[in-house]
Amino acid sequence: WSWKSRSGCRGESKRWHRLGCQIVIAMDWKFEMKFDVTQFSDNYLGEDPNQVAARARGVELGTVDTTPGSGAFLRYIASLISAQSVVEIGTGSGVGTLWLLNGIMQSGVITTIDPEVQHIQIARQVLQDADVAPNRYRLITSDYLEVMHKLADRAYDLVVFRGNPEDILDVIDQSHRILRVGGILAIDHFYGGGKVPDPAQRDPKTVALREAGKFLKSQSEVWDISLNPIGDGVLLATKL
């Protein structure tokens, strides 16, 4: 943007305000995006060496991990609601687990579930390398819907979903059951790699994410939702 300053502006129709004896007139409001603000915000808070190492292992295995910005945002959400009991669906390399552990209460516990044995193995090593006390997490290799069916009603503060989008409607249903009132379901990678906003994209996973968003919007009596353009998109749904 640019500003023009002068001492006399009688009859001037442009918006102005006084600074002492001067009148500063907003002449132009020109803003040219010269930087990738998405990348800037996603890397605004850096990752520690344990998170960096976990992410590198995840790249080798092709895991679906939270982005740095989304991880920081979910850590903030966990801290904001003083989360004590958290369920993470889709452990990946464990980098998301580390972010969440930095946000939950010191006495809090994360139950993180992944159907891939290798993912759980590297996540366990990541948590050990980070000197996380074993009583702060439960690592489960299993079908996450089977595990969710066994979790207690209204016993959890936060559910983070990073699993197969084709299971998402069942996950929403189970999340509503296990979350306390005021608890939050966070759908990480809601944009599906940028495909969800594009109606021409019709593959099953993209359609599943898109339909989940529509479903949650239609359930305003039981969910209060917010779509946050961080990383690959984080959809928050608070249980009412």
Side-chain angles (χ1 to χ4, degrees):
W1 60 86
S2 61
W3 297 90
K4 182 177 179 181
S5 175
R6 66 193 195 195
S7 59
C9 295
R10 186 178 301 277
E12 184 67 62
S13 61
K14 296 183 181 294
R15 188 160 59 96
W16 57 272
H17 65 276
R18 290 187 180 276
L19 289 178
C21 295
Q22 280 190 326
I23 297 176
V24 180
I25 305 171
M27 298 299 295
D28 296 297
W29 186 268
K30 298 177 180 178
F31 183 76
E32 181 180 352
M33 194 73 71
K34 296 182 180 180
F35 303 99
D36 185 339
V37 294
T38 301
Q39 184 178 14
F40 175 79
S41 62
D42 205 41
N43 295 288
Y44 185 67
L45 296 177
E47 296 185 313
D48 64 32
N50 291 308
Q51 291 168 322
V52 171
R55 189 173 296 283
R57 293 176 186 175
V59 170
E60 293 175 4
L61 289 178
T63 59
V64 177
D65 286 311
T66 192
T67 70
S70 295
F73 179 65
L74 292 169
R75 174 198 58 78
Y76 174 75
I77 293 298
S79 176
L80 189 67
I81 65 174
S82 299
Q84 177 76 26
S85 299
V86 176
V87 176
E88 181 185 39
I89 298 169
T91 310
S93 70
V95 65
T97 314
L98 288 174
W99 273 114
L100 289 168
L101 282 164
N102 287 334
I104 68 173
M105 298 180 68
Q106 286 298 314
S107 57
V109 177
I110 292 181
T111 299
T112 181
I113 313 161
D114 199 296
E116 297 293 332
V117 174
Q118 198 170 16
H119 295 179
I120 293 296
Q121 288 176 339
I122 64 168
R124 178 174 286 109
Q125 187 61 56
V126 162
L127 294 170
Q128 290 174 351
D129 291 346
D131 294 323
V132 179
N135 63 345
R136 298 201 67 204
Y137 60 86
R138 292 193 298 166
L139 294 167
I140 301 176
T141 307
S142 183
D143 177 272
Y144 41 80
L145 283 172
E146 289 183 5
V147 176
M148 289 188 80
H149 277 284
K150 298 175 183 177
L151 299 178
D153 294 358
R154 298 178 296 278
Y156 295 86
D157 305 301
L158 176 64
V159 175
V160 176
F161 177 76
R162 212 175 292 115
N164 183 353
E166 294 178 69
D167 297 326
I168 198 167
L169 289 179
D170 290 329
V171 169
I172 291 171
D173 183 58
Q174 287 301 309
S175 295
H176 193 271
R177 180 183 62 80
I178 68 174
L179 284 169
R180 62 171 176 79
V181 173
I184 295 175
L185 166 63
I187 303 174
D188 199 359
H189 290 285
F190 180 74
Y191 291 159
K195 292 183 177 181
V196 170
D198 181 0
Q201 302 295 327
R202 301 293 300 172
D203 62 276
K205 292 183 178 180
T206 299
V207 171
L209 285 167
R210 194 177 292 134
E211 292 302 314
K214 292 178 181 177
F215 173 75
L216 285 168
K217 283 200 295 184
S218 73
Q219 300 293 303
S220 58
E221 71 280 4
V222 293
W223 292 106
D224 184 20
I225 68 171
S226 170
L227 179 54
N228 303 273
I230 301 167
D232 192 29
V234 180
L235 181 66
L236 298 182
T238 303
K239 179 179 175 178
L240 300 177

